[in-house]
Amino acid sequence: MAERWDPVAFKARVDEVLGGFVAREADALAAVDASLGPVAEELESAVANGKRLRAAFCYWGWRGGGQPDSEALVRAAASVELVHAAAVVHDDLIDGSPLRHGRPTAHRALRTAVPGHPRPAGAARSLAMLVGDLLMALAGQLFVESGLPAAYLGRARPLWAALARELIAGECLEILHTGGVPDTAVSLKVIRYKTAKYTVEHPLLIGGALAGAGPRLGEGYSAYGLPLGEAFQLRDDLLGLFGDPERTGKACLDDLRGRRPTALLAETWRLADRSGRERLRTLLDGHGHGRGNGHKHEHERRGHGHGEAAGNGHRKEDDETLDEVRALMRSAGAPERVEAMIAARVEEALRALGELDAPPAAVTALTSLAHSASARVS
């Protein structure tokens, strides 16, 4: 690969690795029994989209350690994208999200695989959970089969344990704090563990460890990766509510329906006056968990998963709620506050990058990645 960073060319390399590897695994799964065909299809669909940012950070973690371009390293970096695919399937399942990249999420698509099941929605959710589990297992398989020397892989092995532990911790924290009083400090902790670490910091550290980088470079990677990963998720929060669903591929009301502890919601709550908070609480109670467990369980008895019923059709009330919540957020100044938080974190990351003792090509690429990760539109 040329020294000049070409994200499109790199994405094509990662897509080729993932496409071939997962297609073979999907074929092997479907060969067990013809009824597994839809599950195998979802396995392939789970890796069909993505900007491959995590693989890119792993790649430049390696290059930052002074190593040359390597096909084996690209395969190892691609394995981190399988972790992301697994996390997405599980996250959509936990949140009951109906759409991802403009298509039905795994637990919705797999309903067609169980038409005669007495509880088709529950069965489809179970199948989706297993798809996510298999993707996580395949991540480890691709990593160890990447072609890198065993000694190199051994240096990075402890980081995989940390990545999995902290990703699960972040998912658990989000569940535990969902529906509570919005709190910015709590939201930022969720962001750090659920997204920032496995999106930027851990891929960089894994790439660096594979390269044999010392602790000083690792410290620099963390100083760059953590604030940038937080900026990435803060941007995602803004896009989730103010973005164009045609570009994001997700419904704008998903975060509100789920009462998820986003920093955008927390900042709105912190900045709003008393009447604004009361109106926000009313709107959230009308579209999220606030309707009560009886309401949620009734939907489940009818065959819908948690949070899914509201996603089955577009309603005029949804537009009205979305417009009012957006107006409340704007009047409180929350979007501008989150934009400022993003800018501060990108600045912190770039400052740490400026102090990084790494080859110029790696610094240039990581600078480009910092801007693309924090200023994306979808």
Side-chain angles (χ1 to χ4, degrees):
M1 188 174 189
E3 287 298 306
R4 179 178 170 275
W5 170 232
D6 184 345
V8 175
F10 180 79
K11 179 183 181 316
R13 294 173 76 186
V14 175
D15 285 346
E16 183 178 4
V17 169
L18 290 174
F21 175 76
V22 176
R24 289 189 293 275
E25 291 296 328
D27 287 345
L29 179 67
V32 173
D33 191 277
S35 64
L36 291 169
V39 181
E41 289 176 11
E42 284 307 308
L43 195 68
E44 292 192 81
S45 294
V47 299
N49 297 286
K51 296 179 178 63
R52 312 311 185 199
L53 284 172
R54 293 159 186 84
F57 284 119
C58 185
Y59 176 86
W60 285 108
W62 162 271
R63 295 295 304 276
Q67 294 282 7
D69 181 54
S70 161
E71 288 300 324
L73 187 281
V74 172
R75 288 178 59 80
S79 68
V80 186
E81 294 293 337
L82 290 174
V83 174
H84 175 54
V88 166
V89 171
H90 284 152
D91 200 42
D92 288 340
L93 182 58
I94 291 166
D95 295 337
S97 299
L99 294 174
R100 172 75 65 166
H101 298 299
R103 66 176 297 276
T105 46
H107 63 278
R108 297 295 293 267
L110 284 167
R111 289 186 186 183
T112 60
V114 287
H117 198 283
R119 294 181 61 251
R125 289 170 62 81
S126 297
L127 290 173
M129 177 186 68
L130 294 168
V131 168
D133 291 348
L134 182 52
L135 285 164
M136 188 65 84
L138 291 177
Q141 180 183 336
L142 180 57
F143 184 74
V144 299
E145 295 178 357
S146 63
L148 289 172
Y152 288 29
L153 298 174
R155 291 195 295 251
R157 197 178 306 277
L159 290 166
W160 275 89
L163 182 155
R165 180 176 59 251
E166 292 178 352
L167 172 57
I168 296 298
E171 287 281 7
C172 291
L173 285 172
E174 183 176 68
I175 293 168
L176 292 167
H177 290 289
T178 289
V181 176
D183 182 279
T184 301
V186 168
S187 296
L188 290 174
K189 189 166 191 177
V190 170
I191 283 172
R192 173 163 287 205
Y193 283 92
K194 183 187 173 186
T195 303
K197 283 177 165 286
Y198 99 94
T199 297
V200 186
E201 184 195 25
H202 282 308
L204 277 168
L205 291 174
I206 288 171
L210 290 170
R216 183 176 177 183
L217 185 61
E219 290 168 3
Y221 281 164
S222 291
Y224 162 87
L226 280 173
L228 181 58
E230 291 178 3
F232 175 90
Q233 183 56 45
L234 289 168
R235 174 63 62 201
D236 200 62
D237 289 349
L238 280 174
L239 288 171
L241 201 60
F242 290 92
D244 179 358
E246 293 296 320
R247 303 188 73 172
T248 64
K250 296 185 285 186
C252 285
L253 274 172
D254 271 5
D255 285 347
L256 292 178
R257 285 195 185 106
R259 293 287 295 275
R260 294 166 204 160
T262 67
L264 179 60
L265 179 60
E267 282 298 286
T268 302
W269 185 264
R270 185 179 70 83
L271 295 167
D273 58 20
R274 181 176 179 180
S275 63
R277 286 186 176 186
E278 289 176 354
R279 184 55 187 155
L280 183 60
R281 183 186 289 112
T282 298
L283 291 167
L284 293 175
D285 287 349
H287 281 78
H289 290 37
R291 289 187 177 189
N293 290 335
H295 181 81
K296 179 186 74 172
H297 292 158
E298 178 62 25
H299 280 305
E300 290 175 346
R301 286 193 293 270
R302 292 174 186 171
H304 297 290
H306 166 67
E308 293 175 46
N312 288 335
H314 189 76
R315 303 180 303 174
K316 180 181 178 182
E317 305 95 278
D318 288 345
D319 286 339
E320 292 172 350
T321 296
L322 184 59
D323 287 344
E324 189 166 357
V325 170
R326 284 170 170 167
L328 274 171
M329 288 180 165
R330 288 191 180 107
S331 66
E336 292 82 2
R337 171 62 185 149
V338 174
E339 286 285 2
M341 293 166 71
I342 293 171
R345 282 161 175 76
V346 172
E347 182 181 349
E348 181 182 350
L350 292 176
R351 188 165 55 248
L353 187 58
E355 299 172 0
L356 201 65
D357 183 16
V363 173
T364 298
L366 291 172
T367 300
S368 175
L369 283 165
H371 291 299
S372 61
S374 60
R376 69 198 196 283
V377 295
S378 63

